[in-house]
Amino acid sequence: MNLLMSKQMLTNYFSSYVDKKKEKSITACKHEYIAFEEHRTSSIYVLHRGILKLSTFLKDGKEFNIKLVAPGEIVTLLEDETTSIVSMPFTICSLSESAEIYLLDRLSFWQDVRSDVLLNEYVRLYYRKNLNIQIRKTCALTSNGKLSAVCNLLYELQNFFGKDSVNGRLIDLELSNEELGKFCGIHNASSFNRILRQLKDAKVIEVSSNKILICSLERLKNMGGSININF
């Protein structure tokens, strides 16, 4: 069994597990905050449909976006495994017209992880994937400045929300430039727009109907510094 098939098998297994174990669900509309940092919860959150963002608020009051969460993904596991009630490490907000989250009992989930080989491997895969993303993001922010951070963001977005088209890779996601900039530590929309114009002038991307089309993934990686980290 190749690696891709193995990941798909684990994803399907986890989806079936969630369907069996979910205790309840919560729904949210676009731009609705579902939970804030330090919110106390006894549940593991899994996104069923929609798109979420995880963010944190800095000391100056500005919001810094951590990551996007796609359907089927665990929202976060960065909490203690043996405590029944924990504090949410990030703020959770819906970016889609509607979102639905399944809630699983925390302690039962971690007991199952310890006893179920496939579920344990899925959680290991979850940690590896997210560690990879965050290291890439940190490298991009610190090594080559804002341009590298934006290129890395676009590359990650096409991995999760990309669709092949005759002209390149379409990021099938409508987010404002201000929202996208917050993933790169850019809180000035005009600064983010200048970088997008630079990429458009270089024939790396096109923008149409509020969606970004990547014309060349290779040129995007080259302009971003080709940060490659895998586990």
Side-chain angles (χ1 to χ4, degrees):
M1 181 180 296
N2 61 42
L3 183 59
L4 181 59
M5 289 177 61
S6 177
K7 288 181 179 180
Q8 188 59 54
M9 180 191 71
L10 291 171
T11 299
N12 293 341
Y13 184 82
F14 179 70
S15 178
S16 297
Y17 171 84
V18 172
D19 286 338
K20 295 175 184 176
K21 294 288 187 173
K22 65 179 183 291
E23 294 188 317
K24 60 180 180 178
S25 66
I26 54 177
T27 58
C29 58
K30 193 170 187 177
H31 300 315
E32 180 179 352
Y33 283 92
I34 298 163
F36 288 92
E37 289 179 68
E38 303 305 321
H39 169 72
R40 303 287 286 171
T41 181
S42 60
S43 301
I44 297 289
Y45 289 29
V46 179
L47 181 60
H48 176 58
R49 59 177 173 84
I51 298 172
L52 303 177
K53 73 167 180 178
L54 304 185
S55 65
T56 186
F57 286 89
L58 307 178
K59 289 184 178 180
D60 60 6
K62 293 178 180 178
E63 186 177 22
F64 184 86
N65 290 345
I66 306 295
K67 63 169 288 190
L68 291 173
V69 180
E73 291 187 331
I74 298 171
V75 177
T76 177
L77 286 181
L78 294 180
E79 307 97 0
D80 183 84
E81 299 175 14
T82 58
T83 305
S84 59
I85 300 177
V86 297
S87 297
M88 189 67 70
F90 304 120
T91 292
I92 307 172
C93 178
S94 170
L95 292 183
S96 51
E97 292 300 325
S98 65
E100 183 177 13
I101 299 173
Y102 287 162
L103 274 60
L104 285 65
D105 179 75
R106 284 186 47 77
L107 293 185
S108 295
F109 172 79
W110 284 114
Q111 287 172 1
D112 290 342
V113 168
R114 287 188 283 270
S115 61
D116 186 322
V117 174
L118 289 179
L119 184 59
N120 185 280
E121 184 57 33
Y122 179 85
V123 170
R124 285 161 58 87
L125 178 65
Y126 165 87
Y127 280 125
R128 287 195 298 269
K129 182 180 73 172
N130 281 276
L131 180 59
N132 190 318
I133 291 171
Q134 294 309 318
I135 291 178
R136 284 173 57 92
K137 185 173 183 176
T138 301
C139 289
L141 286 169
T142 57
S143 62
N144 296 313
K146 294 179 180 179
L147 174 61
S148 180
V150 172
C151 290
N152 183 68
L153 171 66
L154 296 181
Y155 194 83
E156 294 296 346
L157 290 179
Q158 67 83 26
N159 271 335
F160 292 101
F161 305 101
K163 292 183 177 180
D164 291 326
S165 73
V166 293
N167 297 316
R169 184 85 167 154
L170 178 69
I171 299 175
D172 192 20
L173 184 68
E174 291 188 31
L175 292 180
S176 68
N177 288 350
E178 180 182 7
E179 196 70 71
L180 289 172
K182 290 178 183 177
F183 286 98
C184 308
I186 302 172
H187 293 89
N188 187 323
S190 62
S191 295
F192 190 84
N193 290 338
R194 281 196 297 272
I195 294 174
L196 288 188
R197 283 197 298 271
Q198 183 178 347
L199 294 173
K200 285 189 286 187
D201 291 344
K203 308 297 183 184
V204 174
I205 68 168
E206 295 177 1
V207 179
S208 178
S209 302
N210 294 323
K211 293 184 179 180
I212 296 174
L213 174 71
I214 301 174
C215 304
S216 172
L217 285 173
E218 193 62 33
R219 289 204 299 272
L220 180 69
K221 288 196 293 184
N222 290 338
M223 292 190 72
S226 298
I227 301 170
N228 293 308
I229 300 167
N230 292 291
F231 296 96

